């Protein structure tokens, strides 16, 4: 039986039609409802033999919310099988049950995901205290969110400020392209010093 068939069978038996296998690029991905997150990870570990926890993080899907992903691996004598378990959280209140009960190493990854994306994790319904892992305690915001303003790009000019034809000593007849702001840099009229 192929790995994708085993994954389909395991999740169909445990979650019924609540899970959906993604047919896209590897690794094989299973989409699960947020309220069944811990159960879905337990299926990966206990039923499919994915005992190696690799990483847990999130992706800012813009208006769609935040996709939280956990990558796990099943070691076999013939090689390894990869599986990503994914759930989508609403942008307004991204809260998810902690995976640390299934994979103890997940707590560090949850702390990083909280810092970078603002996703909160719970244990038994209570929010877990998230001690800063990467950022200084006084840091405000979540730098990997798409709506986070990159203040350094406002304070320090974008390295591509010189467009073709704008360099010193260029002939006066050369025309400049329309200047584009890089992603994350707000309009100077809206925010920051001029």
């Amino acid at each position: 039986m192929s790995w994708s068939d085993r994954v389909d069978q395991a999740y169909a038996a445990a979650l019924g039609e609540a899970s959906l296998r993604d047919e896209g690029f590897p690794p094989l991905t299973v989409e699960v409802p947020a309220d069944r997150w811990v159960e879905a990870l337990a299926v990966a570990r206990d039923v499919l033999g994915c005992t190696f926890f690799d990483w847990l993080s999130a992706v800012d899907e813009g208006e769609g919310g935040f996709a939280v992903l956990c990558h796990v691996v099943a070691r076999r004598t013939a090689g390894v099988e990869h599986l990503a378990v994914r759930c989508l959280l609403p942008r307004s209140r991204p809260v998810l049950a902690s995976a640390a009960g299934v994979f103890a190493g997940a707590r560090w990854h949850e702390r990083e995901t909280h810092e970078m994306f603002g996703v909160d994790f719970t244990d038994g319904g209570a929010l877990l205290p998230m001690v800063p892992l990467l950022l200084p305690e006084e840091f405000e915001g979540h730098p990997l969110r798409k709506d986070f303003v990159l203040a350094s790009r406002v304070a320090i000019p974008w390295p591509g400020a010189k467009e073709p034809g704008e360099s010193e000593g260029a002939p006066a007849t050369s025309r400049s392209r329309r200047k584009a702001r890089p992603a994350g840099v707000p309009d100077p009229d809206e925010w920051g010093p001029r």
Side-chain angles (χ1 to χ4, degrees):
M1 179 182 302
S2 73
W3 175 243
S4 60
D5 290 340
R6 290 186 59 213
V7 169
D8 284 344
Q9 271 187 352
Y11 281 98
L15 303 179
E17 296 198 14
S19 67
L20 176 66
R21 182 166 58 92
D22 185 359
E23 298 287 341
F25 295 103
L28 184 64
T29 303
V30 176
E31 178 99 24
V32 299
D35 61 342
R36 313 245 348 236
W37 173 250
V38 174
E39 182 182 355
L41 293 176
V43 167
R45 182 192 65 191
D46 301 336
V47 178
L48 296 171
C50 295
T51 56
F52 180 77
F53 170 82
D54 191 18
W55 54 264
L56 181 146
S57 191
V59 175
D60 187 343
E61 299 283 348
E63 296 300 318
F66 297 98
V68 177
L69 291 109
C70 181
H71 180 254
V72 292
V73 177
R75 296 176 188 227
R76 308 262 183 255
T77 54
V80 295
E81 301 289 357
H82 299 264
L83 178 67
V85 180
R86 177 182 190 264
C87 73
L88 193 61
L89 301 175
R91 189 163 197 80
S92 59
R93 189 168 184 267
V95 178
L96 188 63
S98 175
V102 180
F103 296 107
R107 190 60 52 97
W108 284 87
H109 298 258
E110 290 171 350
R111 286 171 58 190
E112 179 184 22
T113 303
H114 171 74
E115 275 187 298
M116 297 296 145
F117 294 96
V119 175
D120 289 319
F121 292 90
T122 62
D123 188 13
L127 283 176
L128 291 170
M130 292 290 170
V131 178
L133 183 64
L134 301 171
L135 301 172
E137 289 188 29
E138 64 276 1
F139 191 89
E140 292 181 19
H142 305 287
L144 292 184
R145 283 188 173 200
K146 289 184 178 178
D147 58 0
F148 184 78
V149 175
L150 298 172
S152 64
R153 292 293 180 221
V154 174
I156 300 170
W158 179 252
K162 299 255 184 199
E163 298 288 343
E166 290 182 353
S167 60
E168 295 175 19
T173 59
S174 62
R175 295 181 354 185
S176 173
R177 297 185 306 182
R178 181 177 69 88
K179 294 181 182 182
R181 268 189 324 278
V185 176
D187 184 349
D189 296 330
E190 296 174 12
W191 188 85
R194 291 188 60 79

